[in-house]
Amino acid sequence: MFTGEGSDSGFAELDDISAAAYGLAVERGRFVPDQIAQQLSLMPEEVVRVEQVLTGVRLLQSMPGNTNELTPVTPDVAAASLVGPAERHIRDLQQAVTDVRAKLLSLTPLYFEGRRLRNRLEAFDVITDVSRIQAMLDHLSQNCKSELLTVQPGGARPADLLAQARDSALSTLSRGVRIRTIYQHTARNDLPTRSYVREVSEQGAEIRTADEVIDRLIIYDREVVFLPERTHGNSAPGAAIVREPTLVAFLCSVFEYLWDGASPYVVDSQRSPASSDELKWSIIRLMTKGYKDEMVARRLGMSVRTCRRHIAEITEELEATSRFQAGYNAARQEMLSGGSVPSLS
């Protein structure tokens, strides 16, 4: 509620009687208390109240040179007189807010440059924003100088992701960067993956597969490592970026260990480990550890349905009626001895 200077009256107090008194004052060109009292049948104290209300909302103003005579003014003049200072104050505040925002936003490039330099020195960083993760991956891929090492778990990758990976890999290979990638055996049965492997292998990429691998791992020039963030519930997965030299060297050693135990992915090979006794051996090994079908499937990068089909074939070939008996029969055939894997068929 706006209040007039030197008055306790406000616009919310402009009642019907005050409005009627204003109308009479407009007719006569000035506010005459006696006439107002007579015309509206008001007591003297009520006329005083009405005068205070109309003065408070600036509908009555003193004549220049005669402060005792009040004349009515138009409502727009009264409004300008009453709210003008507040409007000017609001405009000043808005301008001040605009100036402060502009000055602070001018520091944005400085902030991101500082973060970029700091991130080069920090040993660890966890990022949860997916778009920022992808931007960092694109930047590191474009600036990779010598070697790109990746581990891709989960079997076959979606065709749209393979298309993006193909463009990135071919661009990286064209700069003379060495690429080595480890998939799981089940990726060999996927036609889009075979097409991708054939194309990038022709340009110098090296691809191998293993029955089991660790989580997704991306290493750039043995200097920066991307690891998946451990999440709980339905929260979006993030990434942990590692730059600490000792830990980076350790993760490179882990990759080399997996690489040495993996099988070269030769696209035109007639033998596919994903359909060989190696895969069945891996399933039996996990079964004997007590893993359920879902866990076995996830660790070997295949669907639960495919995993159960293999388990059914295994139990039939081992003449077993249960998981326990299949493991027992396999042990009797020395399949758990760590030596060569005999045929199940």
Side-chain angles (χ1 to χ4, degrees):
M1 178 177 69
F2 293 106
T3 58
E5 294 179 3
S7 173
D8 294 330
S9 298
F11 187 78
E13 299 176 17
L14 185 60
D15 54 286
D16 293 340
I17 295 176
S18 299
Y22 170 73
L24 292 174
V26 172
E27 291 178 14
R28 289 166 175 74
R30 61 194 181 94
F31 184 86
V32 182
D34 292 341
Q35 292 179 354
I36 297 295
Q38 182 181 358
Q39 291 290 327
L40 299 179
S41 301
L42 300 177
M43 298 295 290
E45 59 271 18
E46 185 68 10
V47 175
V48 172
R49 186 195 68 80
V50 169
E51 181 180 332
Q52 290 177 342
V53 170
L54 296 176
T55 304
V57 295
R58 308 297 176 84
L59 288 170
L60 292 179
Q61 298 186 14
S62 300
M63 287 288 292
N66 186 0
T67 58
N68 294 324
E69 185 173 348
L70 299 173
T71 59
V73 299
T74 61
D76 59 333
V77 171
S81 177
L82 184 64
V83 304
E87 289 179 333
R88 287 192 296 273
H89 183 58
I90 291 173
R91 286 195 297 270
D92 291 342
L93 287 176
Q94 289 177 330
Q95 185 60 48
V97 169
T98 301
D99 292 343
V100 170
R101 178 178 287 113
K103 290 178 181 178
L104 292 178
L105 291 180
S106 69
L107 299 176
T108 299
L110 184 62
Y111 169 80
F112 283 110
E113 177 63 15
R115 279 301 304 265
R116 186 184 69 81
L117 295 175
R118 192 186 80 185
N119 286 340
R120 291 180 59 186
L121 300 176
E122 286 183 341
F124 306 93
D125 195 8
V126 178
I127 302 176
T128 57
D129 182 75
V130 176
S131 60
R132 186 182 169 202
I133 293 173
Q134 187 59 52
M136 292 190 66
L137 288 171
D138 293 341
H139 173 76
L140 289 170
S141 296
Q142 294 167 6
N143 291 275
C144 189
K145 298 180 180 62
S146 59
E147 188 176 41
L148 174 58
L149 311 175
T150 60
V151 177
Q152 297 287 355
R157 301 171 68 189
D160 57 331
L161 293 182
L162 281 175
Q164 298 176 17
R166 177 186 294 105
D167 294 339
S168 177
L170 293 178
S171 174
T172 303
L173 289 166
S174 68
R175 302 195 308 271
V177 177
R178 182 186 185 189
I179 292 181
R180 288 190 289 163
T181 301
I182 303 175
Y183 288 107
Q184 289 188 263
H185 286 328
T186 47
R188 292 176 178 258
N189 296 327
D190 180 64
L191 291 179
T193 301
R194 292 174 67 86
S195 175
Y196 164 81
V197 171
R198 177 183 289 106
E199 189 168 351
V200 297
S201 296
E202 290 174 351
Q203 301 303 316
E206 301 173 69
I207 313 294
R208 293 187 180 185
T209 64
D211 56 353
E212 289 187 77
V213 295
I214 57 176
D215 282 339
R216 181 166 280 103
L217 177 69
I218 308 176
I219 305 175
Y220 295 95
D221 292 330
R222 296 181 178 263
E223 293 178 353
V224 182
V225 180
F226 270 72
L227 297 171
E229 179 191 17
R230 294 295 184 181
T231 58
H232 301 283
N234 296 323
S235 58
I241 296 88
V242 181
R243 299 179 181 83
E244 201 285 316
T246 302
L247 184 53
V248 170
F250 171 78
L251 293 172
C252 290
S253 298
V254 171
F255 177 89
E256 296 295 349
Y257 175 82
L258 294 173
W259 182 261
D260 290 341
S263 303
Y265 192 155
V266 181
V267 176
D268 298 327
S269 174
Q270 297 298 318
R271 182 173 181 271
S272 173
S275 59
S276 69
D277 288 340
E278 289 180 348
L279 178 59
K280 294 180 180 179
W281 158 251
S282 299
I283 293 175
I284 292 174
R285 179 169 49 82
L286 294 175
M287 286 172 55
T288 58
K289 292 182 178 180
Y291 291 124
K292 295 183 178 180
D293 298 352
E294 292 77 9
M295 179 60 71
V296 174
R298 184 165 67 86
R299 293 191 59 162
L300 296 180
M302 65 178 66
S303 68
V304 177
R305 181 177 180 181
T306 301
C307 179
R308 287 173 176 164
R309 177 170 57 81
H310 283 301
I311 291 175
E313 294 175 357
I314 291 170
T315 54
E316 180 179 355
E317 292 170 6
L318 291 174
E319 299 180 352
T321 57
S322 66
R323 288 168 170 268
F324 177 81
Q325 187 177 5
Y328 175 76
N329 291 352
R332 289 185 59 186
Q333 295 183 27
E334 296 182 353
M335 293 187 64
L336 302 180
S337 62
S340 60
V341 181
S343 174
L344 288 174
S345 56

